[in-house]
Amino acid sequence: MSPADALDRVVYLLDRALAESRRVAAYARARDLVRELGDDAIAQHHVDGTLGDLAGIGPSTGKVIALALDGGIDEHLTELEAETLIDVGEGTELRAALRGDCHSHTTWSDGGAATEVMAHTAMDLGHDYLVVTDHSPRLTIAHGLNRERLLQQLDEIERLNEELAPFRILTGIEVDILQDGSLDQDVDLLERLDVVVASVHSKLRMPAQEMTRRMVLAVASPHVDILGHCTGRKVVGGGRPQSEFDADIVFAACARFETAVEINCRPERQDPPEELLALALDWDCRISIDTDAHAPGQLEWQAYGCDKAARIGVEPERIINTLPADDLIAWTANHPTT
Ligand SMILES: [Zn+2]
Ligand SMILES: [Zn+2]
């Protein structure tokens, strides 16, 4: 295995374990540097003992390079594979029934990998499609896409789909639900995209009544297909409390306007909590099990959402990403307007 491939695999495995981002970034930087310099130059640096002189190569990344060149990388990676392995428990059957992932990010916004790399990983995981849902313009901290950039992204996806068929990259967006319940992208674009995830990313602490109205207005839009990470909570580190809203009213609206409620699989979100998911089922909502992956390794996180769905008794027929791509697109294009 080449040093670059070894570093790339380490990045993948650390990402799936939600390792500290600085640590992952160090391996990613080293990988990019090694690719840039080329195998011969790196091998020469190793022979000369000058790897450590390269800006961007430290003791840990240097060790992976040395193991790849001298032998021993397989054992090292096998260990890391075992350490970062994601066990699918009671959700095994559901996971097998999923055909794609409806919420993912690329370097077009705040993701860490190109669309093509994300798509290849989704293929390796057995998916038929991946919906790319980069952020909308007002989420500037995440390099949200304005109209022009979104149109460029659509061109790229069209090109990639010619190469990757029969696998399909479906077009999408994670559109911000603005404070007044409106959506942060032009309606003609929302209409054109295959899948629209709508999420609250700002003013998470607004009073419950206002937040309820805000969310209901968004899910009532015929362009919105999935309500993303509905409570906004974070359960890792310092954490973040749930937004306050009347879940009965929001889920009743999701059911009425056929907007799926997302099980967001990110380990630090695990959103919605189980009791709210059960409530969404009481209201007969559709469900989408999505990773919200910002890196290839994170596409494996669907296992977490499948386990949760199985625990709560979500039937596969209720889950929109058990649908083949064409059926999914037919469903997203046909929401009731009243
Ligand atoms: Zn989000
Ligand atoms: Zn997202």
Side-chain angles (χ1 to χ4, degrees):
M1 183 180 279
S2 76
D5 287 347
L7 289 163
D8 191 50
R9 189 64 190 164
V10 172
V11 169
Y12 180 94
L13 296 173
L14 291 178
D15 270 330
R16 85 175 174 189
L18 193 63
E20 201 200 346
S21 54
R22 263 195 320 198
R23 192 169 156 223
V24 187
Y27 283 97
R29 248 196 332 274
R31 173 199 62 198
D32 295 345
L33 177 72
V34 167
R35 280 186 183 151
E36 198 184 309
L37 293 178
D39 290 347
D40 293 347
I42 286 299
Q44 191 58 51
H45 275 292
H46 178 49
V47 170
D48 298 344
T50 54
L51 275 175
D53 298 343
L54 296 169
I57 307 289
S60 312
T61 49
K63 181 182 161 197
V64 170
I65 294 170
L67 287 172
L69 291 168
D70 298 339
I73 192 62
D74 288 346
E75 292 85 331
H76 182 75
L77 287 178
T78 303
E79 250 171 59
L80 197 57
E81 299 267 357
E83 265 170 43
T84 60
L85 188 70
I86 295 174
D87 281 322
V88 197
E90 55 258 79
T92 304
E93 251 175 76
L94 266 188
R95 173 62 192 85
L98 296 186
R99 295 164 186 257
D101 195 326
C102 293
H103 185 167
S104 70
H105 298 272
T106 71
T107 43
W108 280 93
S109 66
D110 60 347
T115 313
E116 190 177 0
V117 177
M118 295 295 282
H120 276 287
T121 304
M123 266 189 253
D124 292 344
L125 294 175
H127 283 163
D128 299 335
Y129 56 86
L130 174 68
V131 187
V132 170
T133 55
D134 278 305
H135 289 288
S136 63
R138 281 196 228 185
L139 206 62
T140 46
I141 189 175
H143 310 291
L145 277 65
N146 60 18
R147 185 179 177 90
E148 287 71 26
R149 291 182 64 230
L150 180 54
L151 287 169
Q152 287 168 21
Q153 185 187 38
L154 296 183
D155 288 342
E156 181 195 69
I157 289 174
E158 199 179 325
R159 266 200 317 279
L160 285 173
N161 274 334
E162 279 170 25
E163 288 169 30
L164 302 176
F167 182 86
R168 281 165 76 178
I169 303 170
L170 302 186
T171 62
I173 186 172
E174 181 178 16
V175 68
D176 257 51
I177 303 175
L178 301 174
Q179 286 180 43
D180 63 357
S182 62
L183 302 170
D184 183 28
Q185 190 47 277
D186 298 335
V187 166
D188 66 311
L189 288 179
L190 295 178
E191 187 154 16
R192 180 173 159 188
L193 297 168
D194 294 324
V195 177
V196 173
V197 178
S199 311
V200 170
H201 289 118
S202 61
K203 271 273 199 166
L204 292 148
R205 305 262 64 79
M206 68 169 28
Q209 209 177 350
E210 286 172 46
M211 183 60 95
T212 304
R213 181 177 179 278
R214 177 183 184 183
M215 293 169 80
V216 166
L217 282 171
V219 302
S221 161
H223 306 300
V224 171
D225 307 307
I226 298 169
L227 173 61
H229 50 69
C230 64
T231 79
R233 75 170 184 172
K234 296 256 176 91
V235 294
V236 168
R240 187 165 68 200
Q242 300 177 29
S243 295
E244 288 177 20
F245 57 91
D246 188 322
D248 278 305
I249 296 179
V250 170
F251 292 152
C254 285
R256 176 72 189 84
F257 295 100
E258 292 179 19
T259 297
V261 174
E262 175 183 79
I263 295 179
N264 188 294
C265 301
R266 294 192 64 83
E268 83 277 25
R269 286 193 182 273
Q270 302 178 31
D271 203 0
E274 293 193 0
E275 63 280 8
L276 269 192
L277 179 59
L279 186 66
L281 293 190
D282 287 346
W283 280 105
D284 209 20
C285 295
R286 294 269 214 151
I287 301 293
S288 186
I289 301 180
D290 302 327
T291 60
D292 196 357
H294 285 65
Q298 300 179 356
L299 286 167
E300 290 195 27
W301 289 347
Q302 264 183 333
Y304 298 135
C306 289
D307 281 347
K308 180 193 257 182
R311 276 198 302 276
I312 305 297
V314 184
E315 299 291 331
E317 305 77 56
R318 186 180 290 284
I319 302 169
I320 60 168
N321 37 351
T322 60
L323 295 171
D326 283 331
D327 294 357
L328 176 68
I329 291 169
W331 177 76
T332 61
N334 269 305
H335 296 298
T337 51
T338 56

